Amino acid sequence: MQTAYYNNEMIQLESYPRELFHQLYLSAKKDKLLCPVCKEPVQLYLGMKNPPYFYHSRSPLKTCEMEVPVENNDDTFIEQNGFRIPKGRNILEGKTTAKTFRKAKLLPVKVIVSAHEAPAIQHHSNDYIQTLLQSGVPLDNNQIQAVLDTNRPLLVLSGAGSGKTRVLTTKTAFMINQQNVDPSSMMLVTFTSKAANEMKQRLLTYPRIQVNQINRLITGTFHSIFYRILMHHQAEKWKPEKILNKDWQKEKIIREAAKELELNEKEFAFDLALQQIGFWKNSLIFPSEVKAESKWDEQVAFLYQKYELYKQNNGFFDFDDMLIGCFQFFNENPIILKKYQQRFHYFLIDEFQDINKVQYELIKQLSEIHKNVMAVGDDDQSIYAFRGSDPEYLIHFENDFPNANVIKLEENYRSSHEIVASANEVIAQNKKRRVKIMRAQFSTNKPPVLFFPYDEEEEATMVVTEIQERIKKGARPSDFAILFRTNAASRAIFERLVSSNLPFRITQDAESFYDRFIPKSVLAYLKLSMNEDDADAINTILPSLFLKQGLLRDIKASSILKDCSFVEALASLKTSYAFQAKKLQALPSIIRSLKHLSPSTAIERISKDIGLEDYLKKRGSEGNKLEKGSDDLKDLKVAAKGFDHIQEFLLHAEHISAQNKEMKKLSKSFDNAITLSTIHRAKGLEYETVFVLGVVDGSIPHDFSLDELRNGNADALEEERRLLYVAITRAKNRLLLSIPETRRGKSTHRSRFLNKLIKK
């Protein structure tokens, strides 16, 4: 059905503005759309594969068809004084959208390598390998080569889904059982405690492996292993109670130091400053060695110096210090270092592409005598540059470990041929990499799907609609993962899932979009339009007016003395700047004018008339380079479009914030739930079906990488391509990539990473 009544007018989808489809969808949810025949409420279907249509939600099988009369008269002209002149029309009247609905389409898969079944190894001459094969441990030829290759440096290039954990555990078991290697002379390093525990549990299932052997094996993360070494030698200095293991503890220290620079606590991105300090530390760049390239770098370098000084004076340390401290301890105690070098004969290191400088230097120190380092990783999945990780250590492994053997694991046991072939085509465009061509073991004849929502709101609705339809056909919620580039990109899909009653979990500990600094400030202005004596709202907007929050007490006092509202008291504040006094005096009339505007129009007025856009420009860094305040403002404008009244929008924001807090508590208890995650957090995981949101330039790849490219540096762009590769290879059977036509209110271009995949 293509026709419905809306606001007492008949509308037809074929001529209705495309940009208003989602608003229509939300109105239908509130029973504001009626069937033109039976006058019952109808809903708007917004899916990926079929064009939108109206349907009776209360009677799904009911169909009402209505003939729409076709008028033959030409009403584009009117007669006036004997002349035919063009008839004036409302801007929306008869408007057909420039962007029509585009059905989802299959992504043409360029076949680089056909799907094939990896040759199963039935028999092997090595006794223990044969025992493993007979016990049900599947191994292909390259995996066996990696297991058997000992007593020299070895680089195992383990592509996505190629069974690297199996190789690491099997090699460990082989060396202990077949070669009689003392487990205490082996160090098995992982990047998470969970991975270390899983490897130990898997080892216990292998033939002839005893619990006491596994207990003697040195396993764990870099931090846990080297912290144990520090505790053994300098227990007094490295007491557990002295560790700063919470971000708020570290942030408190640098916030105190920031007072010396008179940095505004609400404006400065302390989380990003801590991230930058961590990057310098993991790169073995100490405070005196920082080369500041901007004012922000200078400020963070100052905080870094003060942070280290505070820890030193009070005997505190953080996680990064565990590695730096051990590295320095070995340098200062060469005799002790030599004992460890003699003790450890073998190093097996997982996720080698994620290694940073201090971790790499520690491994080089300890392996100096025996050189038996087995590095397992995939440079195509190196996505943690912001932590100091560098794929160059893997790419140039032979520079520090001469005569190293290199074995490639190119059999993908996770994903279908269609997904693997697409991933191969994407990552092949990177120049700084070890060439690998992954091969899938099966084909589903279901190529990846591209779908084309109008904007972020419609994107979320299409995804939820698709999942609901799949679940009706027997799929489980846990089959699905929805991945996005940054936390801010999850706003719309989070909101749609909340209203859908589908079970879902969020993997990141991010605050609600509406609790972020800029959205919260804008919402505070809207709240004041409803209540001029909202003290919390007044306190929230002060930084955006370049006022200190300590002034709230003065505003309250002035309100009592002058018997006026908080907003009026704010307007009468004395300031030494004429431009600021003028802005404050105009504030009451602007705030009062918002009350009867739509939320989106009100936000536009706050941006321009109150000068929020100017504030963001003067604010400088705008916080995190991935999630800028100006981007938050654009996202808020998109979110507001679905609401007619400010009070309705404020209630919605409050509800979503409350739901976000609730989800953080409940997420871990959901076993059968849709996963909502950043791509970074999804690394190492797999799902039957994966949706990747916002596969457009500016999102994937992110704007900052495009800025770097314009400045002549392609490294960030290559990491963004690796990020998309990681997202694609999380999918086992179905992959759906979203290409919204607009993002943050502007037209988009599909991601340049897809160009080679799409036939012209």
Side-chain angles (χ1 to χ4, degrees):
M1 187 165 67
Q2 294 291 304
T3 309
Y5 270 111
Y6 178 46
N7 290 337
N8 297 318
E9 291 184 2
M10 188 181 294
I11 61 169
Q12 291 180 273
L13 284 177
E14 62 185 19
S15 60
Y16 201 74
R18 178 78 174 88
E19 61 270 23
L20 299 181
F21 272 29
H22 199 264
Q23 194 170 333
L24 203 62
Y25 171 86
L26 294 176
S27 296
K29 291 291 183 183
K30 301 168 188 173
D31 288 343
K32 292 184 178 181
L33 269 65
L34 302 176
C35 172
V37 177
C38 66
K39 300 300 186 288
E40 289 184 5
V42 293
Q43 302 295 312
L44 176 62
Y45 174 85
L46 272 181
M48 300 175 187
K49 299 168 187 173
N50 299 311
Y53 60 87
F54 298 114
Y55 65 97
H56 295 80
S57 57
R58 296 172 187 173
S59 307
L61 299 178
K62 183 176 181 180
T63 57
C64 292
E65 294 296 336
M66 177 180 181
E67 288 189 11
V68 180
V70 179
E71 296 184 6
N72 293 320
N73 62 309
D74 183 2
D75 65 347
T76 60
F77 292 83
I78 58 173
E79 286 205 19
Q80 187 171 324
N81 299 326
F83 293 95
R84 292 180 76 242
I85 59 175
K87 179 182 176 183
R89 293 191 296 171
N90 182 287
I91 193 168
L92 292 181
E93 184 183 350
K95 179 181 177 183
T96 57
T97 176
K99 294 183 180 294
T100 57
F101 176 83
R102 296 173 65 189
K103 291 183 183 180
K105 69 176 182 180
L106 300 178
L107 187 65
V109 177
K110 182 179 179 181
V111 180
I112 300 175
V113 178
S114 300
H116 75 294
E117 188 173 344
I121 307 298
Q122 302 294 336
H123 184 272
H124 198 274
S125 58
N126 182 276
D127 172 61
Y128 192 67
I129 295 296
Q130 185 59 33
T131 302
L132 287 170
L133 293 170
Q134 291 175 348
S135 67
V137 179
L139 292 167
D140 63 40
N141 189 53
N142 283 14
Q143 290 173 335
I144 291 175
Q145 285 184 45
V147 169
L148 297 177
D149 196 336
T150 57
N151 296 314
R152 64 171 169 175
L154 175 64
L155 175 62
V156 179
L157 295 172
S158 179
S162 63
K164 66 179 177 62
T165 302
R166 186 187 310 149
V167 170
L168 278 164
T169 52
T170 305
K171 188 181 183 79
T172 304
F174 170 78
M175 292 172 69
I176 292 172
N177 187 278
Q178 188 78 12
Q179 297 188 323
N180 296 316
V181 172
D182 181 356
S184 65
S185 71
M186 301 172 66
M187 184 183 289
L188 177 56
V189 187
T190 63
F191 268 78
T192 65
S193 299
K194 180 182 177 184
N197 291 330
E198 287 176 352
M199 285 192 188
K200 286 195 283 189
Q201 291 303 315
R202 185 179 294 197
L203 278 165
L204 288 172
T205 66
Y206 287 173
R208 309 177 198 167
I209 295 297
Q210 304 299 319
V211 174
N212 67 320
Q213 293 174 315
I214 302 306
N215 289 341
R216 290 167 58 204
L217 190 68
I218 307 302
T219 63
T221 63
F222 276 99
H223 291 85
S224 67
I225 291 173
F226 291 106
Y227 181 54
R228 276 179 269 169
I229 292 174
L230 287 173
M231 280 289 290
H232 179 71
H233 294 283
Q234 297 179 324
E236 191 64 29
K237 181 179 178 181
W238 300 93
K239 289 180 179 179
E241 58 266 27
K242 286 292 186 178
I243 186 171
L244 301 172
N245 58 0
K246 302 290 185 184
D247 284 343
W248 66 264
Q249 295 172 309
K250 294 181 282 187
E251 195 168 304
K252 183 180 179 182
I253 296 170
I254 64 171
R255 279 182 180 275
E256 189 64 31
K259 292 178 181 178
E260 293 186 42
L261 297 178
E262 297 185 346
L263 296 177
N264 189 308
E265 285 203 0
K266 285 292 181 180
E267 295 179 37
F268 191 77
F270 289 99
D271 57 342
L272 184 58
L274 283 173
Q275 181 178 301
Q276 182 63 50
I277 290 170
F279 174 85
W280 284 329
K281 294 181 73 169
N282 287 318
S283 302
L284 291 177
I285 299 172
F286 300 103
S288 61
E289 301 168 343
V290 172
K291 295 179 180 178
E293 296 179 357
S294 66
K295 183 180 178 181
W296 189 81
D297 280 349
E298 291 176 5
Q299 293 170 333
V300 178
F302 175 83
L303 299 180
Y304 180 20
Q305 185 177 30
K306 292 291 184 179
Y307 174 69
E308 293 300 310
L309 188 62
Y310 179 90
K311 289 194 289 109
Q312 181 181 330
N313 292 339
N314 293 276
F316 290 121
F317 63 95
D318 58 28
F319 278 108
D320 296 330
D321 293 324
M322 294 175 182
L323 302 183
I324 296 171
C326 201
F327 176 69
Q328 292 173 331
F329 175 76
F330 284 150
N331 284 336
E332 294 163 3
N333 298 275
I335 296 175
I336 295 176
L337 171 60
K338 190 168 184 179
K339 288 181 179 179
Y340 280 103
Q341 290 171 337
Q342 291 171 335
R343 173 185 171 178
F344 291 112
H345 291 218
Y346 300 94
F347 300 86
L348 296 89
I349 306 169
D350 192 16
E351 304 285 8
F352 199 76
Q353 75 279 350
D354 293 332
I355 205 166
N356 59 39
K357 185 173 179 62
V358 65
Q359 292 165 341
Y360 189 67
E361 292 299 329
L362 281 165
I363 292 299
K364 279 174 60 182
Q365 278 182 327
L366 289 178
S367 64
E368 183 64 31
I369 293 177
H370 299 289
K371 298 286 188 181
N372 293 323
V373 174
M374 177 189 181
V376 181
D378 181 9
D379 51 313
D380 291 334
Q381 297 185 68
S382 178
I383 57 174
Y384 294 113
F386 63 91
R387 295 181 186 170
S389 299
D390 192 343
E392 292 288 331
Y393 298 123
L394 185 150
I395 294 172
H396 301 297
F397 183 76
E398 296 94 329
N399 289 353
D400 290 311
F401 297 94
N403 304 316
N405 189 25
V406 179
I407 295 175
K408 296 181 182 180
L409 304 183
E410 297 177 300
E411 304 292 341
N412 183 298
Y413 296 98
R414 174 192 298 148
S415 307
S416 70
H417 161 67
E418 291 74 17
I419 291 170
V420 171
S422 300
N424 282 339
E425 187 70 17
V426 166
I427 202 61
Q429 299 170 58
N430 268 6
K431 295 178 181 178
K432 292 184 179 180
R433 65 184 292 260
R434 296 258 192 174
V435 176
K436 297 174 291 297
I437 301 178
M438 301 304 295
R439 296 180 289 266
Q441 314 306 304
F442 65 95
S443 175
T444 59
N445 293 317
K446 296 175 181 176
V449 172
L450 301 180
F451 63 101
F452 309 92
Y454 177 75
D455 61 8
E456 301 93 323
E457 299 293 330
E458 196 171 285
E459 176 182 60
T461 295
M462 285 183 170
V463 170
V464 170
T465 298
E466 181 73 11
I467 291 175
Q468 288 172 326
E469 291 175 353
R470 296 277 184 85
I471 289 176
K472 285 180 182 177
K473 294 178 181 178
R476 290 165 50 84
S478 57
D479 292 341
F480 303 96
I482 304 167
L483 308 183
F484 36 85
R485 176 64 182 86
T486 62
N487 288 321
S490 67
R491 177 199 58 79
I493 189 65
F494 181 90
E495 293 178 11
R496 211 68 72 248
L497 284 169
V498 164
S499 62
S500 72
N501 293 321
L502 289 171
F504 70 99
R505 64 163 68 91
I506 51 177
T507 62
Q508 67 278 3
D509 189 26
E511 62 186 347
S512 167
F513 170 77
Y514 298 106
D515 289 329
R516 293 161 67 93
F517 177 62
I518 294 302
K520 189 174 182 179
S521 298
V522 175
L523 293 174
Y525 282 108
L526 297 181
K527 288 177 181 177
L528 288 171
S529 73
M530 300 287 120
N531 175 14
E532 292 187 21
D533 289 316
D534 188 326
D536 288 338
I538 286 285
N539 199 39
T540 299
I541 69 169
L542 291 177
S544 67
L545 296 168
F546 299 98
L547 296 170
K548 294 182 179 180
Q549 289 185 300
L551 290 171
L552 180 61
R553 185 180 300 176
D554 296 341
I555 293 169
K556 288 181 176 179
S558 177
S559 171
I560 295 170
L561 290 172
K562 297 180 179 180
D563 191 23
C564 63
S565 70
F566 286 172
V567 169
E568 291 170 323
L570 172 61
S572 64
L573 278 178
K574 301 297 181 183
T575 174
S576 54
Y577 300 102
F579 80 92
Q580 196 173 34
K582 186 177 180 181
K583 181 181 287 188
L584 291 177
Q585 289 167 9
L587 204 58
S589 62
I590 295 174
I591 286 177
R592 287 164 185 160
S593 72
L594 302 176
K595 188 172 185 177
H596 302 293
L597 300 177
S598 68
S600 58
T601 305
I603 292 172
E604 199 67 44
R605 180 145 201 216
I606 292 167
S607 301
K608 291 186 168 63
D609 293 0
I610 294 178
L612 197 61
E613 290 179 350
D614 292 336
Y615 164 73
L616 289 172
K617 290 175 185 176
K618 291 176 182 176
R619 194 176 176 220
S621 68
E622 288 192 28
N624 194 309
K625 65 181 178 181
L626 292 180
E627 299 181 351
K628 297 179 180 179
S630 55
D631 292 340
D632 282 350
L633 184 59
K634 294 170 189 171
D635 287 334
L636 190 67
K637 290 176 183 177
V638 174
K641 285 182 181 178
F643 299 87
D644 297 324
H645 305 291
I646 287 176
Q647 192 61 45
E648 182 186 14
F649 184 46
L650 290 173
L651 289 172
H652 168 78
E654 187 178 330
H655 172 64
I656 294 300
S657 294
Q659 287 294 317
N660 185 274
K661 292 182 178 70
E662 192 66 22
M663 285 301 300
K664 288 178 184 178
K665 299 176 185 176
L666 299 177
S667 282
K668 293 180 181 178
S669 63
F670 291 161
D671 291 326
N672 184 21
I674 299 160
T675 295
L676 203 57
S677 173
T678 61
I679 300 172
H680 283 95
R681 291 255 182 174
K683 186 172 174 289
L685 304 176
E686 57 185 44
Y687 305 91
E688 289 294 321
T689 298
V690 168
F691 298 86
V692 185
L693 306 185
V695 190
V696 294
D697 278 358
S699 175
I700 308 175
H702 196 279
D703 279 325
F704 89 88
S705 68
L706 299 177
D707 289 339
E708 288 288 300
L709 184 65
R710 284 187 280 269
N711 292 327
N713 181 11
D715 288 350
L717 189 69
E718 292 220 340
E719 177 156 329
E720 290 291 299
R721 190 178 280 110
R722 294 195 292 268
L723 198 62
L724 180 58
Y725 176 79
V726 167
I728 290 172
T729 53
R730 298 313 94 201
K732 295 164 71 174
N733 290 305
R734 297 187 70 91
L735 173 69
L736 300 96
L737 306 173
S738 169
I739 304 178
E741 308 236 352
T742 64
R743 177 174 173 266
R744 292 175 173 153
K746 292 186 176 181
S747 296
T748 64
H749 298 283
R750 71 165 181 251
S751 173
R752 61 193 64 201
F753 299 157
L754 298 179
N755 290 346
K756 289 285 183 72
L757 277 170
I758 299 174
K759 293 180 179 178
K760 301 291 184 181

